[in-house]
Amino acid sequence: MAIVKPFKAVRATRDKVALVSSKSYEAYTIDQLNSKLAFNPYTFLHVINPGYKYHKKEITGEQRFKLVHNRYLEFKEDGYLKEDEVPGFYIYEKTTPSHSYCGIIAATSVDDYHNNVIKKHESTLHKRELLFEDYLKNTGFNAEPVLLTYPDNNSIETIIEKYKINRPEYEFTSTDKDLHKLWVISEESDLETIINAFETVNTLYIADGHHRSTSSCMLAQNLAKQNSEHSGNEPYNFFMSYLLPESQLCIYEFNRFIKDLNGLNTDEFLIELDTIFKIENKGQELYRPKEKHHFSMYLDGNFYSLALRKSAYEFDNALSELDAQILFKTVLKPILGIDNIRNSSKIIYSQNKSGGLELKTKVDEGLFKVSFGMLPTTIDEIKNIVDSDLIMPPKTTYIEPKLRSALTIYEI
């Protein structure tokens, strides 16, 4: 049973929300970031980049986090951000040129995370966990929700549709041509209906935001130890999440680009592959695999189809069925000598939304020797791996939607 809780969001006034909210800080190039900071005095990026005010670029660690807190207070004092008077849930709909997503922003429980009601599919880096925990502790807020997904639920969908017939609290189009709408749910009966509906949901799966959720839980544990009157109802016992039905997730694959053939020439490499795959030279055809356990490869000006020989590989659990794991176990590690796919300098990853053309261009430009593509992972594969207490390899899934920063803010 999943616990969700309404909260008093701090958010922009209706007239300024399009200017205050932004994409995630990491989504901007340096030039884009500088342009936003120079020409938009309302953007939340001024909060995240507090050194801009003092013309300082290199502010790090606790000093930077305290300045972030100060800029945040200034945004509240200047009236750009205001806290809602009563707790609520927030229906957020994002419509891109190709997809539409609609879910509920809510506070979710750190106890659910520890009790495996909220489940993760990726490993996290402890260094990043500690960094973000320190960030949350010093700034006192979180402006980007964790993306959680759950099996489609008619009761929850009914409530969402009830509100969507009304005028949104927010409705604006961002410069990337995405339409954003937000409705506020504050009626006690509707809040209770949503709380009860999520109590029937057995598992919430983290789709995006593994470090944010883990760091929030670490902070909660530490603050609970320091609080002699800890009750379990303090804001730090929850973290902000965007809960989206499984059917609305978009999952893309990551392509793999390898810098060398580990001392092999092309013919020797193909002979090694022939033991594991049925290989077909596709020439200049922009080949993309059409079924699981098939891969595309671009090497020396040619596309290849690689179909796994089932007799050459053992399927023994849900993870072993995953194409990213198959590629690692059969090619990247034994043939190309890449033991650590998280940190190896011989491999990079790129999310594939370009139809596979990037597989060819980066190799033709001489940046890499060989590239590999595969089909996207499905939500059922992710759930099977998670429910088996297994962890997926890094850069297996690129999941959308990517969420706005500072659309709603959760204070800790």
Side-chain angles (χ1 to χ4, degrees):
M1 140 176 140
I3 300 170
V4 300
K5 180 180 177 180
F7 68 101
K8 295 181 182 179
V10 176
R11 53 191 183 86
T13 54
R14 182 183 285 179
D15 63 308
K16 292 184 177 66
V17 63
L19 296 169
V20 171
S21 67
S22 68
K23 293 187 292 186
S24 175
Y25 166 73
E26 296 177 346
Y28 294 98
T29 66
I30 295 298
D31 288 342
Q32 289 172 334
L33 183 61
N34 288 335
S35 177
K36 293 282 185 182
L37 293 169
F39 296 106
N40 182 359
Y42 301 109
T43 178
F44 199 74
L45 294 169
H46 281 290
V47 175
I48 304 302
N49 296 266
Y52 184 83
K53 180 176 181 178
Y54 301 109
H55 308 287
K56 292 183 178 180
K57 296 181 179 179
E58 297 300 327
I59 302 177
T60 59
E62 190 169 314
Q63 182 186 36
R64 174 174 177 262
F65 298 157
K66 288 181 177 179
L67 287 175
V68 168
H69 177 70
N70 293 343
R71 294 293 82 72
Y72 175 65
L73 293 180
E74 287 178 6
F75 264 50
K76 293 178 72 175
E77 291 163 359
D78 291 338
Y80 304 164
L81 297 172
K82 294 183 178 181
E83 184 179 65
D84 283 337
E85 294 182 358
V86 297
F89 292 122
Y90 304 87
I91 298 171
Y92 171 49
E93 181 179 70
K94 175 180 178 179
T95 304
T96 73
S98 57
H99 294 93
S100 183
Y101 314 91
C102 190
I104 293 176
I105 298 173
T108 49
S109 169
V110 298
D111 285 342
D112 278 355
Y113 182 91
H114 293 305
N115 295 331
N116 219 25
V117 174
I118 296 176
K119 295 183 177 182
K120 63 182 182 179
H121 68 262
E122 287 183 2
S123 295
T124 48
L125 300 175
H126 189 55
K127 184 177 180 180
R128 287 192 63 189
E129 293 171 355
L130 293 173
L131 180 66
F132 196 68
E133 180 193 8
D134 196 31
Y135 170 88
L136 293 172
K137 180 180 178 181
N138 282 281
T139 63
F141 69 84
N142 185 10
E144 292 185 20
V146 173
L147 177 58
L148 300 179
T149 189
Y150 61 92
D152 290 44
N153 184 292
N154 289 333
S155 297
I156 299 169
E157 188 63 26
T158 298
I159 288 287
I160 290 175
E161 291 303 319
K162 171 186 172 181
Y163 276 81
K164 284 178 64 177
I165 64 174
N166 301 320
R167 181 193 177 192
E169 171 73 7
Y170 295 155
E171 184 173 13
F172 65 94
T173 300
S174 48
T175 54
D176 50 10
K177 300 182 180 180
D178 293 341
L179 175 63
H180 306 271
K181 296 181 182 180
L182 183 135
W183 294 262
V184 180
I185 304 175
S186 56
E187 291 291 333
E188 284 290 341
S189 59
D190 291 331
L191 297 177
E192 196 66 30
T193 298
I194 292 172
I195 291 170
N196 292 338
F198 275 103
E199 286 181 348
T200 69
V201 176
N202 294 323
T203 307
L204 300 173
Y205 297 88
I206 300 175
D208 197 13
H210 285 79
H211 284 92
R212 272 169 280 152
S213 54
T214 303
S215 299
S216 296
C217 294
M218 290 168 56
L219 178 63
Q221 286 182 318
N222 289 330
L223 292 179
K225 292 176 183 177
Q226 298 167 19
N227 184 0
S228 60
E229 299 181 358
H230 172 79
S231 67
N233 294 317
E234 296 85 356
Y236 59 72
N237 293 291
F238 301 86
F239 56 93
M240 183 170 64
S241 296
Y242 180 54
L243 299 125
L244 190 71
E246 290 175 3
S247 62
Q248 294 188 36
L249 281 184
C250 286
I251 306 175
Y252 300 91
E253 72 275 24
F254 276 92
N255 294 325
R256 272 80 169 132
F257 297 85
I258 317 299
K259 292 186 177 180
D260 62 65
L261 298 183
N262 198 30
L264 302 174
N265 62 37
T266 298
D267 288 340
E268 290 169 338
F269 179 58
L270 289 173
I271 290 171
E272 291 283 347
L273 291 179
D274 189 66
T275 304
I276 309 152
F277 299 96
K278 178 182 177 182
I279 304 174
E280 185 177 349
N281 190 327
K282 297 288 186 176
Q284 290 296 302
E285 176 189 344
L286 187 58
Y287 174 72
R288 297 189 70 184
K290 297 179 176 59
E291 57 184 290
K292 288 294 180 182
H293 311 331
H294 286 223
F295 303 84
S296 58
M297 179 178 74
Y298 187 75
L299 173 67
D300 283 354
N302 292 293
F303 276 97
Y304 292 85
S305 163
L306 307 180
L308 181 68
R309 298 184 190 276
K310 302 292 179 67
S311 60
Y313 184 83
E314 182 179 355
F315 298 101
D316 52 16
N317 58 30
L319 181 60
S320 69
E321 296 271 354
L322 191 70
D323 283 348
Q325 182 73 356
I326 291 171
L327 189 66
F328 172 65
K329 287 291 189 179
T330 60
V331 181
L332 301 184
K333 182 177 181 178
I335 300 177
L336 295 176
I338 301 173
D339 294 318
N340 188 335
I341 52 177
R342 183 179 294 276
N343 298 317
S344 174
S345 61
K346 295 176 63 175
I347 183 171
I348 71 153
Y349 307 87
S350 179
Q351 53 87 3
N352 182 31
K353 296 178 66 177
S354 63
L357 183 60
E358 191 179 40
L359 289 171
K360 170 180 169 62
T361 55
K362 285 189 174 182
V363 173
D364 285 347
E365 290 169 359
L367 301 173
F368 302 94
K369 181 62 178 177
V370 62
S371 59
F372 298 92
M374 64 195 82
L375 287 179
T377 304
T378 67
I379 184 62
D380 286 338
E381 287 181 300
I382 294 174
K383 290 168 62 176
N384 287 338
I385 290 170
V386 171
D387 292 342
S388 300
D389 295 323
L390 299 168
I391 295 295
M392 295 170 63
K395 300 297 184 183
T396 298
T397 58
Y398 179 85
I399 296 179
E400 291 190 336
K402 299 301 178 188
L403 304 176
R404 297 288 285 182
S405 179
L407 197 65
T408 57
I409 299 169
Y410 183 80
E411 291 193 342
I412 300 164

